[in-house]
Amino acid sequence: MSPRSRNRRLVLASRPSRLCGPENFQLVEEDIPQPRSGEILLQTQWLSIEPYMALAMKGSMKTTTQPGADRLLKLCDRYIAGVELGAVMCGPAIGRVVKSLHPEFAEGDLVAAYSGWQEYAVDDCQTSRKICADAIPAPAWLGVLGIPGLTAYVGMRRIGCPQPGETVVISAAMGPVGSLAGQLAKIAGARIVGIASGDDKCHGLVESLGFDTAVNRLHPDFARQLAKACPNGIDVYFENVGGAVWWAAFALLNTFARVPVSGLASQYTQTHRPTSPDRTAELMEKLQLRRLTIRGYAVFDHADLESTFLREVPDWIRDGRIHYREHIVEGLEAAPLALATVLSGRNVGKMLVRVA
Ligand SMILES: NC(=O)c1ccc[n+]([C@@H]2O[C@H](COP(=O)([O-])OP(=O)(O)OC[C@H]3O[C@@H](n4cnc5c(N)ncnc54)[C@H](OP(=O)(O)O)[C@@H]3O)[C@@H](O)[C@H]2O)c1
């Protein structure tokens, strides 16, 4: 595709009231920016669409980076910095270098950068890295080999630690975090049960991703169906969504169960906390009596696992032990709707926008 002479960007036009959608964004055209010394100009190829973006649209949170922070901690600050009204929508992307004033990046390199919803972006290279798309196609570096994949890896390796024969349950199991989390548990010898919305996704989990069984969270009898799928209880529950799914899984946790809390996607679009019965006492009692480990985590604190992750997972993809699904939509303008799709659970696999 020939380069454009102008840059198109999607900027945040309003804060979302509940569901985030196209009405919250405005497409603007500007001159293509020019890099300064130490920067590169990227032409965006792919955008990653992720649930946390609903939080980013609500505004900024306090950033925490200390001097000397590593690349992932700096990236963490960009994730939680949120988006100002009128600013380009944030998010991870893959771009091709079209101009470089940085010694480590050359024209033509493919780069994973936090460069947002725009066709061209100047990047300071502080949180970016070159990727190699020879053996595994470029968009995988935003999903199974990117931050979502590392999130699954950290949660399973450092907190879930599934053992042979254990029952591992994963919510949002068809997404990039959940699908890898499940397959890692399978490689560790566990029995894996996926939770997803709709019978088609559940079927896909079993047929194409190797889950032992899957339960449709939209089924009116979901909690009972989950109990049926886990006759020996749950040893590891990988939490991606929270809400009603959490309480159904909580009821089935075995003694010494581990719960990596990766995210709470069902809560990101809530404007206020629902008034429901306070179950704190029940939770604390079971936490103590059953010796549960429930641990929230952010992938950015675990840079030490990144090199093992990048050694093991690409090999498993190449030898067919790990599979991944992608949900691709076309063109920058499709990004807002793609986000709404993720937040309503209508994505089937890693949501990506092909831009160039
Ligand atoms: N801790 C970290 O450092 C870190 C880093 C990256 C991502 N994350 C978290 O990991 C989780 C998964 O991310 P992902 O990129 O793999 O997302 P994803 O699975 O592609 O998309 C989110 C999924 O959440 C489910 N969902 C949405 N609304 C829901 C609701 N109201 N109730 C129950 N489920 C709902 C949907 O799946 P179904 O409809 O099929 O259930 C949806 O597809 C998210 O919570 C994300 O924030 C954490």
Side-chain angles (χ1 to χ4, degrees), residues 40 42 71 75 92-96 105 109-115 123 125 127-131 138 141-142 146:
I40 53 178
L42 293 169
R71 182 180 63 83
L75 185 57
I94 286 175
R96 192 173 289 284
F105 294 82
D109 282 348
L110 276 178
V111 173
Y114 198 75
S115 50
D123 185 59
C125 305
T127 61
S128 316
R129 60 176 184 165
K130 274 187 255 183
I131 59 156
W141 295 88
L142 293 174

Side-chain angles (χ1 to χ4, degrees), residues 51 151 172 175-177 196-197 201 217 240-241 262-266 268 297-299 342-343 345 347:
T151 302
V177 176
S197 57
K201 275 201 214 181
R217 72 172 168 89
N240 279 320
V241 302
S262 149
L264 302 171
S266 75
Y268 298 166
Y297 70 102
V299 64
V342 166
L343 295 171
N347 59 314

Side-chain angles (χ1 to χ4, degrees), residues 95-132:
R96 192 173 289 284
V97 178
V98 288
K99 190 167 180 181
S100 176
L101 297 180
H102 191 290
E104 286 163 30
F105 294 82
E107 217 175 283
D109 282 348
L110 276 178
V111 173
Y114 198 75
S115 50
W117 292 7
Q118 51 189 336
E119 287 174 336
Y120 288 88
V122 164
D123 185 59
D124 64 11
C125 305
Q126 290 205 29
T127 61
S128 316
R129 60 176 184 165
K130 274 187 255 183
I131 59 156
C132 170

Side-chain angles (χ1 to χ4, degrees), residues 92-338:
I94 286 175
R96 192 173 289 284
V97 178
V98 288
K99 190 167 180 181
S100 176
L101 297 180
H102 191 290
E104 286 163 30
F105 294 82
E107 217 175 283
D109 282 348
L110 276 178
V111 173
Y114 198 75
S115 50
W117 292 7
Q118 51 189 336
E119 287 174 336
Y120 288 88
V122 164
D123 185 59
D124 64 11
C125 305
Q126 290 205 29
T127 61
S128 316
R129 60 176 184 165
K130 274 187 255 183
I131 59 156
C132 170
D134 291 348
I136 299 173
W141 295 88
L142 293 174
V144 65
L145 295 178
I147 289 294
L150 184 57
T151 302
Y153 193 86
V154 167
M156 276 305 177
R157 277 292 154 89
R158 196 142 267 167
I159 305 166
C161 307
Q163 303 300 309
E166 286 191 326
T167 299
V168 176
V169 174
I170 297 107
S171 53
M174 185 54 98
V177 176
S179 60
L180 182 61
Q183 293 175 88
L184 292 172
K186 186 81 183 170
I187 288 172
R191 176 174 176 273
I192 55 170
V193 179
I195 298 173
S197 57
D199 291 335
D200 285 352
K201 275 201 214 181
C202 289
H203 186 71
L205 285 171
V206 175
E207 292 306 315
S208 46
L209 297 179
F211 280 66
D212 292 286
T213 187
V215 185
N216 177 1
R217 72 172 168 89
L218 301 181
H219 196 286
D221 204 18
F222 164 67
R224 204 193 301 254
Q225 301 274 333
L226 185 63
K228 246 172 82 181
C230 304
N232 299 323
I234 298 176
D235 300 298
V236 178
Y237 171 56
F238 194 102
E239 176 64 291
N240 279 320
V241 302
V245 173
W246 154 249
W247 288 112
F250 173 68
L252 302 171
L253 294 176
N254 290 333
T255 304
F256 295 117
R258 288 85 66 200
V259 181
V261 182
S262 149
L264 302 171
S266 75
Q267 312 295 299
Y268 298 166
T269 50
Q270 303 281 351
T271 46
H272 58 277
R273 294 198 191 286
T275 44
S276 44
D278 182 358
R279 298 180 67 176
T280 314
E282 179 192 350
L283 189 141
M284 294 305 282
E285 188 182 275
K286 189 159 170 180
L287 185 71
Q288 200 274 324
L289 289 177
R290 295 259 169 109
R291 291 84 124 188
L292 305 178
T293 300
I294 302 178
R295 181 172 164 196
Y297 70 102
V299 64
F300 309 104
D301 297 323
H302 300 270
D304 58 313
L305 283 185
E306 198 179 21
S307 56
T308 348
F309 163 73
L310 287 175
R311 219 176 27 248
E312 287 185 340
V313 178
D315 276 354
W316 287 333
I317 293 172
R318 281 189 290 263
D319 71 18
R321 293 177 84 186
I322 297 271
H323 299 269
Y324 58 96
R325 293 277 294 265
E326 292 174 338
H327 187 146
I328 296 174
V329 296
E330 303 288 337
L332 181 70
E333 297 89 334
L337 205 54

